[in-house]
Structures are given as structure tokens and as C-alpha cells.
Amino acid sequence: MNLSISLGNLWLKNPIIIASGVFSIDSAPYFPLPDIGAVITKTITPLPREGNPSPRLWETTGGLMNSIGLQNVGLKRFIDEELPRYLELSLPIIVSISGEKEDDFPQMAEKLKDKGVSGLELNLSCPNVERGGMHFGKDAEVVKRIVREVKRASSLWVMPKLTPQAPDIVETAQAGREGGADAVSLVNTFLAMALDIKTRSSRLGTLMGGLSGPAIKPIALRMVYEVAKAVRIPVVGCGGIMTAEDALEFIIAGASAVELGTVCLLNPSVPSEILKGIKEFLREEHIGDIRQLIGSLKTSNNG
Ligand code: SIN
């Protein structure tokens, strides 16, 4: 049975990718690394960031809200101290990068280009920062410009991560492709609120946060379907995937691979369960190659 897939010129042994933000070099021992196709690092910015005030997490019905604010050690410490340890894991490492200015992206790509990473995910979708983040990702022209400049600055494989807050996510994905993206990932979290009625204030340290988890899955799935249908580069699906069945739905809708995020916070060994479930399904359906399933959705009965 073949489980390997390719995202442009990036080959993965299976379609399970650990999403940015749920894996760190210190949590690596808790993850079933042999069952994982690739890991995306927590987003790195040019300079260190302390992140947003606490509370930073709030559990909602069927979901999780976060407002971390891109806390990270900054690019220099990441390259000097963390990246060498990531590269020892012997699996593709995709570095998630972000910045407050458009120029930050090509400058970071330049510094990462010969460091042994497998590619870059451009975080153009964080809802928890005042500058950059989803403010870039909501504007298709900005997405195109940033991808184009990153591709000019490095020969690295590049995948913008898109925001569901964009007015038209298909247009944004198309802009990424026109800029030269090798793949697109979608979706990041949905901008959301949760309030404490007694204190009449936000449950988070910021007024709003990003919602992830099963609550967003059907919307993420619809967006993945629409983008995969319209845009001729591989799509990586993300948003509330908890089970093998969820992952298979994204693949059938057109995703070449899936990112597991929130579910890994609950259970870091879940990638093994999801991979096992995918294999069982392929066996039951007599499908010898997972690539046969990508975009295999039948729409003829649905008008
Ligand atoms: C955060 O750091 O606030 C979350 C990251 C993201 O949503 O991109």
C-alpha cells in the first residue's frame, strides 16, 4: 500500500503533518515520529516575541480558542539553538515564519535557505497580532507579493497558510499560486469571542482569539474543497481534524495532506491512530495508493 504523497517537489512518506503551534522540540518525545509525514514548527518571527497576556486558551463547545500572540524566541536563537535539534528528528521540518512587515518574510527566508529545512510555511493568517498575521492574509495582492519575494530570496519550498477571514479564500489561494507557492495550507483559526457574563469581559487576555477544533471542521472542509477545485497546486487541509475519518474527508475533498493541530494538544499519539485508520480504510476499500483518493469526491448527485 502506498501512503506517500508529494506536495510539489516535497515528498512525504505519509500525508500526516503536525500543524504549527502544537509541536516543540521539547515535546518531540511524546509524538510518534515514525508515523508522521512532516512537522511544522511554531511560528518564528525576526525578533523574539513575548506573546499576548493570559489567559491564552479558552475551551468552547466543540473547540478551543487561543490568543498566544506568536510567542517565540526569534529567528537567531531558533537557528542557533532549536533548529539543529529539529533536524536530528530525521523527518521533514517545515519552518513557519511570520513578520510585521512584508519585507520580514524574504529576509527570514534568506537566512533559512541553507539551513537544511524542507520548506517554509508562511503564516499569513494569525488572528492574534496587531500587525501582519491575518491582516496580510486578507489581501490577495499582499499574499502574492510576499510569496513572490520569498521565492526570489530562497529556493526553498513555500506554502502560505491562509486565513478563513479572507473575503474570498479561493482568490487568496490563487494569488499564492501566482506568486509561485508550491502548495497552500488552509485554514488557520477563525476570529472568535468568548465572554464572562459576570465580569463582562473577554475570557481571554485579548478581546478576541482564534477558534480551532471540531467546531470549525465543516467550514474548513468546504474551503479546502473550493480551493482544491479551483487552484492548480497541492492543498494541505487543516481545521478540526480529530479522527482518521476527518482526515479522509479532507483528502476526498481535495487535500493532498492534512495538518493535525488542536487534537495533538489532547493526545500527541493521535497521529498513529489516524494513520492506522487511514490504512484500514484503504484496505477495506481495496485502494492501493492514497493518491487515488485525493479529490475523489463525487458531486454528480449534488447539483
Ligand atoms: C498565536 O500564536 O496566537 C496563534 C498562531 C496562529 O494562529 O497563527
Side-chain angles (χ1 to χ4, degrees):
M1 177 187 298
N2 175 54
L3 290 168
S4 71
I5 55 101
S6 61
L7 302 171
N9 59 12
L10 178 63
W11 178 90
L12 304 186
K13 69 178 180 240
N14 71 52
I16 308 288
I17 301 176
I18 306 302
S20 176
V22 297
F23 184 97
S24 71
I25 195 59
D26 295 319
S27 67
Y30 300 100
F31 282 82
L33 300 180
D35 287 342
I36 292 171
V39 160
I40 306 181
T41 69
K42 172 73 185 159
T43 300
I44 307 298
T45 52
L47 296 174
R49 287 179 62 96
E50 285 187 3
N52 288 342
S54 57
R56 290 170 163 191
L57 293 178
W58 181 256
E59 211 175 321
T60 60
T61 311
L64 179 70
M65 286 177 57
N66 88 79
S67 177
I68 311 296
L70 298 183
Q71 181 184 358
N72 76 97
V73 297
L75 184 62
K76 180 164 178 3
R77 266 187 69 191
F78 174 75
I79 289 175
D80 292 346
E81 297 171 24
E82 295 188 6
L83 185 55
R85 296 174 63 202
Y86 273 104
L87 296 176
E88 278 170 15
L89 299 177
S90 302
L91 80 178
I93 302 298
I94 298 168
V95 179
S96 170
I97 61 170
S98 196
E100 296 187 355
K101 306 187 300 307
E102 291 183 34
D103 283 353
D104 288 339
F105 289 84
Q107 284 168 13
M108 293 180 80
E110 230 279 318
K111 290 188 178 133
L112 283 161
K113 73 177 180 207
D114 52 1
K115 299 289 187 295
V117 308
S118 295
L120 301 175
E121 183 176 74
L122 311 181
N123 184 344
L124 304 175
S125 42
C126 176
N128 305 321
V129 288
E130 276 174 23
R131 285 179 294 277
M134 71 170 184
H135 308 294
F136 287 154
K138 283 161 77 173
D139 185 330
E141 278 308 307
V142 174
V143 171
K144 180 163 37 175
R145 265 202 313 270
I146 291 177
V147 173
R148 193 182 56 215
E149 292 312 310
V150 167
K151 288 302 283 187
R152 272 192 190 143
S154 82
S155 54
L156 287 170
W157 179 93
V158 171
M159 172 170 79
K161 184 164 192 176
L162 307 180
T163 170
Q165 274 71 246
D168 180 344
I169 200 158
V170 174
E171 190 193 347
T172 322
Q174 188 61 33
R177 190 192 76 83
E178 287 165 14
D182 298 279
V184 285
S185 54
L186 62 141
V187 292
N188 204 327
T189 54
F190 284 72
L191 189 62
M193 287 173 80
L195 303 182
D196 179 337
I197 57 171
K198 287 278 179 14
T199 63
R200 296 165 175 65
S201 58
S202 172
R203 293 285 192 181
L204 294 167
T206 50
L207 183 57
M208 297 177 194
L211 177 65
S212 63
I216 71 167
K217 196 204 92 183
I219 317 177
L221 183 64
R222 186 264 298 169
M223 289 179 164
V224 163
Y225 165 70
E226 288 179 339
V227 168
K229 193 167 62 140
V231 182
R232 304 209 155 276
I233 48 175
V235 173
V236 174
C238 181
I241 296 170
M242 306 295 282
T243 63
E245 186 170 350
D246 293 339
L248 288 161
E249 279 188 76
F250 276 80
I251 292 168
I252 290 166
S256 298
V258 292
E259 291 184 16
L260 307 182
T262 307
V263 70
C264 295
L265 298 174
L266 298 171
N267 174 14
S269 66
V270 81
S272 296
E273 289 167 29
I274 291 184
L275 190 65
K276 186 163 163 262
I278 290 175
K279 283 186 200 162
E280 277 167 12
F281 177 79
L282 293 179
R283 208 169 290 123
E284 280 161 22
E285 296 288 313
H286 307 289
I287 298 172
D289 188 330
I290 189 142
R291 291 171 301 182
Q292 288 170 248
L293 214 54
I294 297 171
S296 58
L297 179 65
K298 296 178 184 158
T299 54
S300 50
N301 297 332
N302 305 121

